[in-house]
Amino acid sequence: MVLAGLDIQAKNEMNIKQGRKSDRPRKVPSGLEKPHLEQLNPTLLIIIGSVLLALAGLLFLLGSTQQKDSDAVLKPVKQTISQVSDAVQTFRRVLEEPEVQRLAALAVAEPGSLAVLQQYVSSRIPQLIEVTLFKPDLGKLRGNRMGPSGYAVLDMLMKAQEEGLAPLQIHGQGDDAYLAMVVRVGDAESPAGYLLAKIKPAAITKVFNDSLSEPGIFALDQGNGRFAPTEIVNLAEPPSSRPGLAYLPVPNALLRIGILQTTGTFDSPGFLRPFVFTVGLFMLALGLMIKLRPSKPHKELEEDPAQLEQEDESPAKDTVEADEPDLQGGTGGVGLPDFGLDLEHPHLQSRKVLPPVDLTQSIFRAYDIRGIVGKTLDAEVARQVGQVVGSLTLEADAGPVIVARDGRNSGPDLVAGMIEGICSTGCDVVDIGAVPTGVLYFAAYELGNGTGVMITGSHNPPDYNGFKMLIGGVTQAGEQITDMYRRIQSGDLRVGKGSVSQEDMLSRYREKISSDIQLQRPLTVVADCGNGIGGVCAADVLREIGAEVFALFDEVDGTFPNHHPDPSEPENLEDLIDSVGLMGADIGIAFDGDADRLGVVTRDGKIIYSDRLMMLFAKDVLSRVPGSTIIYDVKCTGHLHQVIEEAGGKAMMYKTGHSLIKNKMKEVDAPFAGEMSGHFFFKERWYGFDCGIYAAARLLEILAADERSPQEVLNSLPNSISTPELKVPMEEGENHAFVAEMQEKARFVDAKVNKIDGVRVDFSDGWGLVRASNTTPILVLRFDADSEEALQRIKNIFKQQMLAINSDLKLPI
């Protein structure tokens, strides 16, 4: 069968070379042509159409019955939601009453009058447990000093500070459980404080318990994001079967009511009835038209067979006329409307689909494959890449391929395409689901031979996605990636049938880290996951090593609604800085979209850039493996080289790029490497790949072992005056051409020039860098100096050199 397939492919290729389109419509001798309209059986069409119309009527009757049953279920549900909502609204109205607000403001100023406020609110809310007041300055509060639900209360206070009200929610469990609501006291511009009311759960559970006998209602709980819902009380057993399961929210609360909509009646999708009716009507009309239509001879029967053979041997034309019956009139024809069906292939329905994406070489980049979904990337492109990955894996005897994705909305489709492509080569796949990139790399070593594909857009906007690939422990980069495009184009691919299995690796990943790292003392950490995939486990990992963690934006959302998930950009750390200061946390950490990058801020709001974190990591690693090589990229501060040498290591500057760094580590057997972008690679005690979550754990381990506060430790690292990464947008490919010209033409006096990746120039009092990004069409600039004067001087030198090459550049320096 394979040989036959290859023979057909060879013939098709020969036809193309000779100028013939092998797949063009061909005229065939009479008796072998495809069926035409007259050949369809009109009686059969009429019968089928009538049956479908009758079926549509039956579905309509059954649907009406089901709708009545559904209404019978929803009516008491809506009534219950209304009753619970009324109770919630009552609490809010009481707390926002002018008299309560006046007494609360008085109690904030004079704490002795709190009892008066307590008595007044109790008279309005009989189930009240107590009221608590907080002064307007929330920055002095510490969640770990506010009781078992301290962080939850602090979160409510922050919400009330912004919006005036924190929705009702439940804190605690069992006998210690209470309902909590927080309102602002006074106006938004100058609040007098914040009022927390604690209320007995029975205030709403009684309303719900009275409704449990109603059909369809089975649960009242509190949704809290990515974890399992919090059960308010033991209300009812959730159904064992879950079709029709739905949760309806209670307004102004985090509560929701679970209902089961199935009632035993016939259930049909909403589109089925109109679809069956339309198809039935069409079939009936088509049968009647054919039955009344005069017969018409086929043109093929009038053609000379010799002429047909002659046409078949002639080169293909740009436009091929198909011999089809005239469905819109013609001689003696009956006009037929277009119902969107293929009359020559009646079993196929036409539907609107997005145009397929052509495979372009531009997505095959230096470190990975990356593109824009719907423009340069789709499931079919993923399938073709999967074919190459599967082929390379089989050739290296490095299977199976571990596949995972981040939280982007395009991930599931690309995963499906990737798995299909890999399996089509005969290579096996292990699908580990939606996890951080570090978990994918971990699984690649734990479950197989170091082969995996991570489907992720990393720190790029939501419409980007791509593939990071590891085959036999070698991260694909440079020519290895560009060669993938060549193999797809040439068809040099394996053929077979692989299998797919699933594995849950999160628990094993957490256990691996916590079994090696345990903090000597607890640290309070704010972890900003940026709505990236790190939200599924980052906080859990850090808690398991002994940290007290407040998770920020840990609900995975591929649209990144709060801020862009790139901790290398200072504006993306503003929420983290505010939260760390408000809570008085020891440190703040941030992850990018796939959680392989790490960003860090201190309690006093300073950003600790990655090159300074590398100093801390390098000294720690070298204390156990002295004399080894530590690698850093060209964007790092000159102080890092000195710190590594003083700690007994060998400093090596190398190209930027996670793939390039990892492969260089293998080449020189380096125990640690890092990039300015926030990638940290630990070979000592780990696997040598980049993982922001693991890097955070190692950082906390170092800080917890020091007697000083984390802020003191981090601020003591050698520092200079530096810029973040400055970016100059350019057209696709223009950035590389510019850097190549600058490497050739630029001249710098009294300086050391390094052209390993762009142009880096080291002066006696600072340095500057211009390089072309390999992920987006931009120039990346960075400057670092011992003083403001030196920094500005170096900027001006670079500005003159760059404008001499392209005077139209808009430089951010």
Side-chain angles (χ1 to χ4, degrees):
M1 293 296 292
V2 174
L3 291 175
L6 292 175
D7 184 53
I8 293 172
Q9 181 180 358
K11 289 181 179 179
N12 287 340
E13 291 176 353
M14 185 177 295
N15 289 339
I16 293 173
K17 291 178 181 179
Q18 292 175 350
R20 178 194 305 165
K21 295 181 180 178
S22 60
D23 58 347
R24 68 184 178 95
R26 301 175 59 195
K27 295 179 180 179
V28 295
S30 177
L32 297 179
E33 69 274 3
K34 296 178 181 178
H36 287 257
L37 195 60
E38 293 90 338
Q39 295 176 287
L40 297 176
N41 189 324
T43 304
L44 181 59
L45 290 175
I46 293 172
I47 293 173
I48 294 175
S50 301
V51 171
L52 290 176
L53 288 175
L55 179 59
L58 178 61
L59 290 174
F60 178 78
L61 293 175
L62 291 174
S64 299
T65 302
Q66 183 188 24
Q67 184 62 42
K68 292 178 182 178
D69 292 339
S70 178
D71 291 342
V73 172
L74 290 177
K75 184 176 180 180
V77 170
K78 292 178 180 177
Q79 183 177 359
T80 299
I81 291 177
S82 177
Q83 291 172 340
V84 174
S85 178
D86 287 346
V88 174
Q89 285 294 94
T90 298
F91 304 151
R92 177 177 182 174
R93 283 195 298 269
V94 170
L95 298 181
E96 291 180 341
E97 280 183 4
E99 182 62 15
V100 171
Q101 290 279 303
R102 185 186 69 82
L103 291 174
L106 180 63
V108 171
E110 302 176 11
S113 61
L114 180 62
V116 178
L117 174 65
Q118 172 89 21
Q119 183 179 7
Y120 183 82
V121 176
S122 295
S123 67
R124 306 299 309 280
I125 306 177
Q127 302 91 348
L128 181 74
I129 299 174
E130 66 174 355
V131 293
T132 305
L133 289 169
F134 298 86
K135 293 184 177 181
D137 183 11
L138 300 178
K140 298 180 180 180
L141 295 178
R142 304 291 180 266
N144 59 336
R145 302 173 187 172
M146 296 170 61
S149 300
Y151 287 119
V153 171
L154 186 55
D155 182 62
M156 293 185 73
L157 290 169
M158 294 169 64
K159 177 71 73 173
Q161 185 182 49
E162 296 176 0
E163 302 178 9
L165 171 75
L168 184 83
Q169 54 189 270
I170 191 165
H171 294 165
Q173 296 179 346
D175 295 337
D176 297 327
Y178 63 88
L179 298 171
M181 180 176 277
V182 176
V183 298
R184 183 170 55 216
V185 179
D187 54 33
E189 289 72 22
S190 56
Y194 300 91
L195 170 60
L196 165 66
K198 297 181 179 180
I199 304 166
K200 296 177 182 178
I204 59 169
T205 57
K206 182 181 184 305
V207 175
F208 182 79
N209 281 325
D210 292 342
S211 303
L212 279 180
S213 60
E214 299 291 351
I217 303 175
F218 73 87
L220 173 68
D221 62 27
Q222 173 173 294
N224 58 357
R226 61 189 179 85
F227 296 111
T230 302
E231 192 176 73
I232 305 300
V233 288
N234 242 343
L235 298 172
E237 289 296 323
S240 56
S241 176
R242 305 184 76 81
L245 188 64
Y247 286 92
L248 301 180
V250 176
N252 294 313
L254 299 185
L255 311 179
R256 60 184 190 172
I257 291 179
I259 64 170
L260 188 64
Q261 294 176 300
T262 53
T263 60
T265 59
F266 179 81
D267 187 14
S268 65
F271 70 88
L272 190 56
R273 290 190 294 272
F275 175 77
V276 172
F277 177 80
T278 302
V279 173
L281 183 62
F282 172 71
M283 298 290 276
L284 180 62
L286 183 61
L288 291 173
M289 290 179 190
I290 295 174
K291 198 171 185 68
L292 297 173
R293 177 188 175 114
S295 61
K296 178 181 177 181
H298 294 307
K299 292 174 65 177
E300 286 87 347
L301 298 178
E302 301 172 352
E303 303 264 4
D304 185 338
Q307 178 69 20
L308 292 175
E309 182 68 23
Q310 182 179 354
E311 290 184 6
D312 187 56
E313 293 297 328
S314 64
K317 299 178 181 179
D318 291 339
T319 303
V320 181
E321 295 182 0
D323 293 315
E324 300 184 57
D326 184 2
L327 299 182
Q328 298 299 328
T331 305
V334 179
L336 185 67
D338 180 8
F339 284 92
L341 296 179
D342 184 346
L343 294 178
E344 195 165 323
H345 305 84
H347 62 288
L348 297 179
Q349 294 185 55
S350 64
R351 59 188 179 93
K352 289 184 178 180
V353 296
L354 292 175
V357 169
D358 293 330
L359 183 73
T360 62
Q361 192 169 4
S362 64
I363 67 173
F364 293 79
R365 300 173 181 265
Y367 319 140
D368 48 36
I369 296 174
R370 190 172 303 175
I372 300 176
V373 177
K375 293 185 178 179
T376 57
L377 195 63
D378 64 2
E380 171 58 21
V381 171
R383 186 190 68 80
Q384 295 179 67
V385 173
Q387 289 179 295
V388 180
V389 171
S391 300
L392 291 171
T393 301
L394 291 172
E395 292 165 8
D397 192 23
V401 180
I402 316 302
V403 175
R405 67 177 177 88
D406 66 14
R408 292 166 189 265
N409 298 339
S410 57
D413 286 343
L414 297 182
V415 165
M418 175 63 66
I419 291 177
E420 179 184 347
I422 295 171
C423 289
S424 72
T425 66
C427 186
D428 295 335
V429 171
V430 181
D431 180 6
I432 63 172
V435 297
T437 290
V439 180
L440 179 278
Y441 291 146
F442 170 76
Y445 288 101
E446 289 289 303
L447 298 179
N449 296 298
T451 301
V453 177
M454 182 68 191
I455 297 175
T456 175
S458 188
H459 60 287
N460 285 292
D463 55 343
Y464 278 75
N465 217 323
F467 316 115
K468 295 178 180 179
M469 298 157 292
L470 180 72
I471 298 177
V474 178
T475 303
Q476 302 301 287
E479 293 183 0
Q480 294 166 317
I481 291 180
T482 55
D483 188 60
M484 289 183 171
Y485 177 75
R486 181 198 62 78
R487 290 195 65 163
I488 293 174
Q489 294 298 99
S490 66
D492 182 14
L493 305 167
R494 296 288 188 98
V495 177
K497 187 176 181 180
S499 64
V500 183
S501 60
Q502 286 80 35
E503 288 284 346
D504 179 6
M505 293 301 295
L506 284 176
S507 58
R508 291 175 60 175
Y509 168 79
R510 294 198 307 265
E511 183 180 355
K512 180 71 173 180
I513 296 176
S514 62
S515 65
D516 179 57
I517 300 175
Q518 287 294 314
L519 305 187
Q520 292 187 19
R521 61 186 174 97
L523 296 175
T524 304
V525 181
V526 179
D528 183 353
C529 300
N531 297 113
I533 196 61
V536 301
C537 67
D540 295 334
V541 169
L542 302 183
R543 289 187 183 111
E544 288 173 11
I545 69 170
E548 298 178 9
V549 183
F550 179 80
L552 193 64
F553 309 136
D554 62 336
E555 292 186 1
V556 179
D557 186 335
T559 66
F560 310 121
N562 292 290
H563 64 73
H564 193 61
D566 183 0
S568 67
E569 297 289 348
E571 62 266 25
N572 297 327
L573 298 174
E574 292 176 359
D575 292 322
L576 179 61
I577 291 172
D578 291 343
S579 298
V580 170
L582 182 63
M583 298 179 60
D586 292 310
I587 192 173
I589 59 177
F591 306 104
D592 68 335
D594 63 333
D596 64 351
R597 295 187 181 199
L598 175 67
V600 175
V601 302
T602 60
R603 181 184 292 184
D604 56 358
K606 293 181 180 177
I607 299 173
I608 306 299
Y609 287 110
S610 299
D611 49 2
R612 296 181 69 204
L613 293 176
M614 276 182 252
M615 299 175 188
L616 207 59
F617 289 137
K619 289 192 291 185
D620 177 65
V621 170
L622 289 170
S623 69
R624 291 181 291 275
V625 283
S628 57
T629 300
I630 305 297
I631 302 173
Y632 61 94
D633 77 323
V634 296
K635 294 186 288 185
C636 293
T637 176
H639 293 295
L640 179 56
H641 185 282
Q642 181 180 353
V643 169
I644 294 171
E645 297 286 345
E646 291 177 351
K650 300 174 183 177
M652 175 182 287
M653 182 188 294
Y654 196 61
K655 300 176 183 179
T656 293
H658 67 93
S659 302
L660 307 177
I661 292 282
K662 279 179 279 194
N663 291 337
K664 193 65 176 180
M665 285 181 70
K666 292 173 69 71
E667 179 185 330
V668 302
D669 193 27
F672 173 74
E675 288 187 282
M676 185 64 196
S677 60
H679 290 273
F680 302 101
F681 313 83
F682 291 89
K683 185 69 170 69
E684 188 251 353
R685 295 166 57 190
W686 197 238
Y687 298 85
F689 58 76
D690 44 332
C691 175
I693 299 172
Y694 180 76
R698 289 286 290 258
L699 175 63
L700 296 182
E701 179 187 45
I702 295 171
L703 297 175
D706 199 301
E707 295 180 352
R708 297 170 294 173
S709 70
Q711 178 175 303
E712 292 173 318
V713 174
L714 294 170
N715 287 341
S716 69
L717 296 171
N719 198 10
S720 52
I721 301 171
S722 63
T723 67
E725 293 185 16
L726 306 174
K727 299 174 182 178
V728 181
M730 305 189 88
E731 295 298 325
E732 189 70 47
E734 191 179 43
N735 55 341
H736 291 281
F738 179 89
V739 168
E741 187 173 358
M742 187 169 180
Q743 287 177 327
E744 179 183 352
K745 297 180 177 179
R747 297 292 181 268
F748 298 90
V749 180
D750 297 329
K752 178 181 178 182
V753 179
N754 188 318
K755 299 180 181 179
I756 190 173
D757 185 6
V759 178
R760 169 161 172 155
V761 184
D762 284 82
F763 301 89
S764 61
D765 53 358
W767 58 273
L769 169 73
V770 176
R771 62 177 295 274
S773 169
N774 286 305
T775 57
T776 50
I778 60 172
L779 292 176
V780 178
L781 286 63
R782 189 164 190 252
F783 303 94
D784 183 291
D786 296 336
S787 65
E788 286 285 0
E789 293 75 16
L791 186 70
Q792 192 57 51
R793 187 190 82 251
I794 296 171
K795 284 183 180 180
N796 290 335
I797 293 173
F798 269 79
K799 186 174 183 178
Q800 292 172 4
Q801 297 277 8
M802 295 176 71
L803 291 178
I805 297 173
N806 184 346
S807 60
D808 295 330
L809 285 180
K810 305 298 181 183
L811 300 177
I813 55 177

